């Protein structure tokens, strides 16, 4: 059954998610849910892929960013917004803010790939590169909030962001009556928390699983510690999943803790193999963070036999030089390359 304590503690309800769906519907793509036949054969169950990388900004983050921007008062729009990001949220905020005529400042660390920086600038976002982790970038974002009066939009721990991401969950239950498991990339938890809240409210028996990388898995480590903890951010193919969850986390830690059935880690080699498989079997170009769910299925870390499993393919904003090396079979280790 749905854990109502989680929804009460986190202050994000199914009504919030349904309101977000109505608000953002004209501005985002209802991403297709497509069969993955080779993957289904490999796991012995039916697998479908939710293609969020087809959003205008190349990632699901457009949903939460759009809901947050559209929820601003006129006075707050005039002040402008600021956020920290590993790239995709910043791109979503920049795009949504540009369409609404709102100033957007995006703070990022030196670990963010250039392709994501360029994407933010393309949509008119003002980029600030600060430090070697998202946590350091967040410090700068909070300073700008205090000193310049900008409105801070967290990349994950924000009620309108979580509700916006949760619209994916509503679409899943609307589009696939037999679905009984959902596999979601896990970082700060905004995507997983939102989808889990929607799916568990509509289909309580469905199994929710979060997947993240072995290098700096902030939410994974926090769940095992029983509270938010700090992690060291490391270079990884799943760069979009990097960064901490905030020691004063207000929403996503409690929601993931109480609504999610399991969390799983995958290695860099397993992420690369999944990127390769998605490209060769489905002709999908995706970034490492978007491939972690497929990685967990291919390695058997998630048992999908006889199940109806939806996997979120969350983004495509990848350095194409690195992607080409991966699909050509090269063993890419970003930690070694950046020493």
């Amino acid at each position: 059954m749905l854990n109502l304590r989680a929804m009460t503690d986190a202050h994000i309800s199914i009504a919030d998610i349904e309101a977000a769906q109505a608000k953002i519907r004209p501005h985002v793509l209802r991403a297709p849910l497509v069969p993955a036949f080779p993957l289904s054969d490999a796991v012995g169950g039916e697998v479908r892929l939710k293609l969020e990388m087809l959003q205008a900004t190349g990632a699901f983050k457009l949903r939460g960013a759009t809901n947050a921007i559209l929820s601003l008062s006129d006075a707050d729009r005039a002040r402008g917004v600021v956020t920290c990001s590993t790239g995709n949220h910043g791109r979503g905020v920049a795009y949504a803010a540009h369409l609404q005529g709102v100033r957007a400042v995006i703070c990022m660390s030196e670990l963010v790939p250039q392709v994501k920086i360029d994407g933010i600038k393309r949509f008119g976002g003002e980029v600030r590169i600060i430090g070697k982790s998202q946590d350091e970038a967040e410090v700068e974002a909070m300073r700008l909030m205090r000193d310049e009066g900008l409105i801070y939009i967290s990349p994950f721990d924000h009620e309108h962001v979580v509700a916006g991401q949760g619209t994916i969950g509503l679409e899943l239950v609307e589009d696939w009556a037999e679905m009984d498991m959902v596999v979601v990339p896990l970082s700060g938890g905004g995507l997983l928390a939102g989808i889990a809240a929607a799916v568990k409210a509509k289909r309580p028996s469905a199994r929710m699983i979060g997947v993240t990388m072995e290098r700096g898995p902030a939410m994974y480590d926090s769940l095992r510690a029983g509270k938010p903890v700090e992690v060291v951010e490391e270079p990884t193919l799943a760069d979009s999943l990097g960064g901490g969850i905030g020691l004063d986390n207000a929403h996503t830690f409690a929601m993931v803790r109480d609504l999610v059935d399991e969390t799983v880690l995958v290695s860099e080699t397993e992420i690369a193999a999944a990127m390769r498989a998605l490209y060769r079997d489905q002709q999908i170009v995706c970034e490492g963070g978007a491939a972690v769910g497929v990685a967990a299925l291919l390695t058997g870390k998630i048992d999908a036999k006889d199940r109806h499993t939806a996997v979120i393919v969350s983004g495509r904003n990848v350095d194409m030089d690195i992607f080409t090396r991966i699909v050509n079979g090269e063993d890419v280790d970003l930690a070694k390359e950046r020493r």
Side-chain angles (χ1 to χ4, degrees), residues 113-163:
Q114 189 63 42
V115 64
K116 294 186 175 181
I117 297 171
D118 294 342
I120 290 169
K121 291 180 177 179
R122 181 175 298 114
F123 298 131
E126 301 172 30
V127 174
R128 308 279 180 92
I129 304 298
I130 305 292
K132 299 182 182 299
S133 71
Q134 178 165 275
D135 289 343
E136 292 181 73
E138 184 179 32
V139 170
E140 174 65 7
M142 300 305 285
R143 184 193 69 78
L144 290 170
M145 179 184 71
R146 292 191 307 269
D147 295 352
E148 298 189 16
L150 299 174
I151 302 300
Y152 180 65
I153 300 177
S154 168
F156 53 88
D157 195 33
H158 185 290
E159 58 184 309
H160 295 306
V161 169
V162 175

Side-chain angles (χ1 to χ4, degrees), residues 313-335:
V313 184
S314 53
R316 68 171 188 266
N317 297 318
V318 60
D319 183 318
M320 287 305 295
D321 291 334
I322 292 176
F323 181 82
T324 301
R325 291 165 57 192
I326 289 171
V327 297
N328 285 330
E330 186 175 339
D331 183 16
V332 178
D333 189 332
L334 296 181

Side-chain angles (χ1 to χ4, degrees), residues 217-228:
M219 182 64 80
Y220 183 93
D221 286 352
S222 295
L223 292 171
R224 277 143 189 81
K227 62 181 180 179

Side-chain angles (χ1 to χ4, degrees), residues 101-279:
V102 176
R103 179 192 178 199
V105 180
I106 317 299
C107 300
M108 297 182 289
S109 81
E110 297 170 6
L111 294 178
V112 175
Q114 189 63 42
V115 64
K116 294 186 175 181
I117 297 171
D118 294 342
I120 290 169
K121 291 180 177 179
R122 181 175 298 114
F123 298 131
E126 301 172 30
V127 174
R128 308 279 180 92
I129 304 298
I130 305 292
K132 299 182 182 299
S133 71
Q134 178 165 275
D135 289 343
E136 292 181 73
E138 184 179 32
V139 170
E140 174 65 7
M142 300 305 285
R143 184 193 69 78
L144 290 170
M145 179 184 71
R146 292 191 307 269
D147 295 352
E148 298 189 16
L150 299 174
I151 302 300
Y152 180 65
I153 300 177
S154 168
F156 53 88
D157 195 33
H158 185 290
E159 58 184 309
H160 295 306
V161 169
V162 175
Q165 320 307 23
T167 61
I168 296 172
L170 292 180
E171 292 175 11
L172 290 175
V173 297
E174 291 164 358
D175 292 346
W176 194 7
E178 296 80 16
M179 182 190 71
D180 56 17
M181 185 160 70
V182 186
V183 179
V184 184
L186 173 59
S187 178
L191 178 62
L192 181 55
I195 292 177
V199 171
K200 290 289 189 180
K202 299 291 186 177
R203 199 167 296 171
S205 63
R207 186 168 176 78
M208 294 297 312
I209 302 179
V211 186
T212 193
M213 69 287 176
E214 291 178 348
R215 293 180 175 174
M219 182 64 80
Y220 183 93
D221 286 352
S222 295
L223 292 171
R224 277 143 189 81
K227 62 181 180 179
V229 297
E230 294 181 344
V231 297
V232 176
E233 192 171 344
E234 303 178 50
T236 171
L237 293 174
D239 57 87
S240 61
L241 305 184
I245 69 167
L247 297 182
D248 56 351
N249 188 287
H251 301 291
T252 61
F253 175 77
M255 292 180 73
V256 172
R257 179 194 64 201
D258 295 339
L259 296 174
V260 174
D261 297 287
E262 183 181 1
T263 53
V264 175
L265 295 179
V266 290
S267 70
E268 297 296 296
T269 299
E270 291 163 349
I271 293 169
M275 295 170 71
R276 205 173 290 126
L278 280 165
Y279 180 69

